[in-house]
Amino acid sequence: QNCPGTRNNIPCSGHGECLETVCKCGQGFRGSGCEEQFTCDSDCNDRGVCGGSSADFLCLCDTGYAGARCELTVTGCPDNCNAEGECVRSKDPASNEMYCECADGRYGQ
């Protein structure tokens, strides 16, 4: 096997695995030989954690925060779901939407 980034018989700069002639980089690395370390472009403002794949890192924000760097404050749901459900953040980590997840037998916003 001859993958990019092979040195001293260690393929992919030691940051991935060689699949035939292509490197599959581990989390936090990218490039043809997994030579480039890659993370979020901020510390997520201490309001979340950096996560994602080797090709696309993004901040996974704590509840109440949103935005690419968790720089936005989310106010929550209308009328706090009228005490008939739970205010939850969208499953899309890049979204700042909050919505009501209604209790059984309830529907609406």
Side-chain angles (χ1 to χ4, degrees), residues 18-98:
C18 183
L19 303 174
E20 296 183 20
T21 59
V22 177
C23 288
K24 181 180 181 198
C25 300
Q27 186 164 347
F29 294 90
R30 68 179 180 185
S32 62
C34 304
E35 68 282 357
E36 181 184 354
Q37 190 168 7
F38 186 71
T39 59
C40 295
D41 65 353
S42 75
D43 63 358
C44 304
N45 288 306
D46 293 324
R47 297 173 173 173
V49 296
C50 183
S53 68
S54 59
D56 185 28
F57 279 79
L58 49 88
C59 289
L60 305 172
C61 301
D62 295 336
T63 301
Y65 299 99
R69 296 173 186 85
C70 302
E71 72 279 12
L72 304 173
T73 302
V74 178
T75 56
C77 297
D79 299 320
N80 201 25
C81 304
N82 295 315
E84 297 291 344
E86 182 180 358
C87 186
V88 295
R89 190 166 163 252
S90 168
K91 289 179 180 29
D92 177 0
S95 171
N96 65 348
E97 283 187 37
M98 301 284 286

